[in-house]
Amino acid sequence: MRASSKTRAAILRRSSGRTASSASTCSTRPWRSRHPIIRATRPRTARTSSPGPIGVRGARPGDLLKLTVVDTTPRVPYGVISNRHGRGALPGEYPQGEANVSVFTPIERDEHGAWFGALPLVEGGERGIRFPLAPFLGIMGVAVDDDVRPHSVPPGAHGGNIDINLLTEGASLYLPVQVDGALAYVGDPHFAQGGGEVALTALEASLRATIRFEVVPAETALRDFGEIAGPLAETSEYLVPTGLDADLDLAMQNCVRQAIGLLGARYGMAPHLAYAYLSAATDFDISQVVDLVKGVHARIRTSDFRAVKRG
């Protein structure tokens, strides 16, 4: 599966501030379920689904494209968690048998109407384990400035398969625009994902997602965020700089550097004090370790800077 490059034509165009909806699915094939009214799905390869690209009018290299998650609605009452040989955080240890493993996972509502995933303790047992859902899109990206379309599995400065589980409804992702129109794409829907996505996939399932696209002009982007080398997320509570590398240690270092630069640009914080603050008050989380290029993201509480007057 390939992501977008400058040679790929937009299938849809939107003005800044407008939304687009996508019925996103994981790359799957049918298999029979024990559920009486549905057919479940099993991922067949390490492929991801990424509808697009969407051209955004006015987006130019040097700008940022802001993608805000307006809505994520489950399309089916189940998902699948998969582990395949040679993949995941423990290749060579799991799967333990010859066959790849796909765990069919129905979703249920609790007494308060919240959705949960349900798993058993043993194969075929009662589904007594419940964990909350937090739907998001694992893939959110823009086209690269190249004639060759990059593979959709590893993330990069263009975003792509970043798998940041904070990008739920209301959250935004900022991406450096590389080509005119940005040529954005989204996909790889998840019902839930733990940090690391250690087995290879999270709870993969179909979502109907609505995304709002906004262009942040280069001057405004530089003032608010500084020089951004890759994806930057924002939630109601956090600024979320990222770091990417095939080596997890280097991904962590890249994320720390991005966080220091962000605090300097946004709040005028001296680098040594930003470094100290991050060490005392910021969590650095592993986004995923299974997409060839590993990801780390930081959660900087914006409430800590409430008293700071920005210029």
Side-chain angles (χ1 to χ4, degrees):
M1 199 75 166
R2 296 284 168 177
S4 289
S5 71
K6 65 182 181 181
T7 60
R8 195 175 181 197
I11 63 169
L12 184 69
R13 296 192 181 277
R14 284 288 183 266
S15 298
S16 180
R18 298 291 301 276
T19 63
S21 295
S22 170
S24 293
T25 61
C26 48
S27 294
T28 56
R29 62 187 169 124
W31 65 288
R32 292 208 174 273
S33 157
R34 296 187 184 94
H35 195 289
I37 60 170
I38 62 175
R39 289 169 65 82
T41 52
R42 175 181 293 146
R44 54 177 185 250
T45 63
R47 297 171 65 184
T48 50
S49 172
S50 50
I54 297 171
V56 182
R57 296 183 180 95
R60 300 285 184 269
D63 298 338
L64 293 179
L65 185 66
K66 180 181 180 181
L67 298 84
T68 299
V69 183
V70 177
D71 178 73
T72 52
T73 301
R75 302 175 65 212
V76 293
Y78 62 89
V80 178
I81 309 166
S82 295
N83 174 226
R84 293 191 279 284
H85 285 285
R87 302 298 302 276
L90 299 175
E93 296 182 46
Y94 291 88
Q96 294 179 322
E98 292 185 5
N100 293 328
V101 173
S102 291
V103 179
F104 173 70
T105 309
I107 61 174
E108 308 169 347
R109 288 188 187 271
D110 67 8
E111 60 273 18
H112 304 295
W115 284 103
F116 283 78
L119 287 173
L121 286 171
V122 296
E123 192 70 34
E126 181 182 354
R127 297 182 187 277
I129 301 168
R130 297 195 306 172
F131 56 92
L133 303 189
F136 75 101
L137 295 170
I139 288 179
M140 300 175 75
V142 294
V144 298
D145 186 18
D146 199 309
D147 293 333
V148 179
R149 294 170 57 188
H151 199 281
S152 64
V153 172
H158 60 285
N161 195 22
I162 54 176
D163 283 328
I164 296 176
N165 59 13
L166 297 176
L167 289 170
T168 54
E169 288 183 5
S172 298
L173 181 68
Y174 299 88
L175 295 170
V177 175
Q178 298 191 30
V179 302
D180 287 350
L183 299 179
Y185 57 96
V186 300
D188 189 26
H190 301 69
F191 278 175
Q193 179 192 293
E197 200 179 21
V198 294
L200 174 61
T201 82
L203 180 52
E204 313 282 316
S206 296
L207 290 173
R208 179 170 294 280
T210 301
I211 307 295
R212 182 168 60 247
F213 301 92
E214 298 174 76
V215 177
V216 181
E219 184 178 343
T220 303
L222 188 62
R223 181 195 66 208
D224 289 349
F225 305 116
E227 295 284 351
I228 294 181
L232 169 70
E234 184 176 26
T235 74
S236 60
E237 298 179 78
Y238 304 114
L239 287 170
V240 186
T242 65
L244 299 168
D245 198 275
D247 183 316
L248 186 59
D249 287 342
L250 295 181
M252 177 68 175
Q253 292 175 354
N254 290 338
C255 188
V256 174
R257 293 187 185 101
Q258 287 297 300
I260 292 171
L262 174 62
L263 292 175
R266 192 171 184 86
Y267 301 113
M269 196 171 194
H272 72 288
L273 294 176
Y275 198 28
Y277 166 79
L278 294 169
S279 190
T282 297
D283 291 322
F284 287 78
D285 299 330
I286 298 173
S287 313
Q288 54 74 29
V289 295
V290 296
D291 294 333
L292 305 179
V293 171
K294 299 173 177 65
V296 174
H297 62 268
R299 288 183 284 133
I300 300 172
R301 282 187 304 271
T302 52
S303 61
D304 293 354
F305 296 85
R306 190 180 298 117
V308 176
K309 293 182 179 179
R310 296 175 56 201

